């Protein structure tokens, strides 16, 4: 039986790639993943902290992120919400809440 890819690691890679393509410079500084299930779905909830240079590219990327199509091997992003954005000394720190579901 093959093991499914880690959705937290895949999510981190996908976000870094999307940010780079948008011209935003970010670093994922923390990610906490917990298994999640409902009567019909299995997945994980992710709390993710990222930091980046506070500029128009980052602001635009974060603004578009909740509606972005994020491609993850073996999983899909069912919900993505920006919990908070803090700005200080040219840096922005964003807290993301993400729900991923396993694809069957």
């Amino acid at each position: 039986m093959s093991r499914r890819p880690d959705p937290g690691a895949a999510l981190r890679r996908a976000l870094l790639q999307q940010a780079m393509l948008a011209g935003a410079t970010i670093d994922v500084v923390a990610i906490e993943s917990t298994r999640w299930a409902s009567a019909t779905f299995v997945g994980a909830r992710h709390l993710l902290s990222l930091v980046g240079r506070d500029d128009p590219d980052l602001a635009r990327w974060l603004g578009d992120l909740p509606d972005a199509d994020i491609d993850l091997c073996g999983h899909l992003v069912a919900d993505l919400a920006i919990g908070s954005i803090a700005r200080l000394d040219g840096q922005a720190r964003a807290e993301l809440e993400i729900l991923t579901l396993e694809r069957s």
Side-chain angles (χ1 to χ4, degrees), residues 4-53:
R4 287 196 170 268
D6 173 28
L11 189 57
R12 181 182 186 280
R13 283 190 302 272
L15 290 172
L16 289 170
Q17 181 180 21
Q18 282 197 343
M20 181 185 69
L21 292 172
T25 302
I26 67 161
D27 187 25
V28 177
V29 295
I31 186 166
E32 181 181 321
S33 301
T34 54
R35 296 284 295 160
W36 174 89
S38 71
T40 53
F41 297 106
V42 174
R45 289 198 175 277
H46 311 275
L47 299 175
L48 189 138
S49 296
L50 60 86
V51 295
R53 186 177 56 235

Side-chain angles (χ1 to χ4, degrees), residues 11 15 62 65-67 70 77-82 96-99:
L11 189 57
L15 290 172
L62 285 171
L65 195 55
D67 296 321
I70 301 172
V77 174
D79 189 42
L80 187 151
I82 309 290
L96 310 180
E97 301 171 16
I98 303 167
L99 174 64

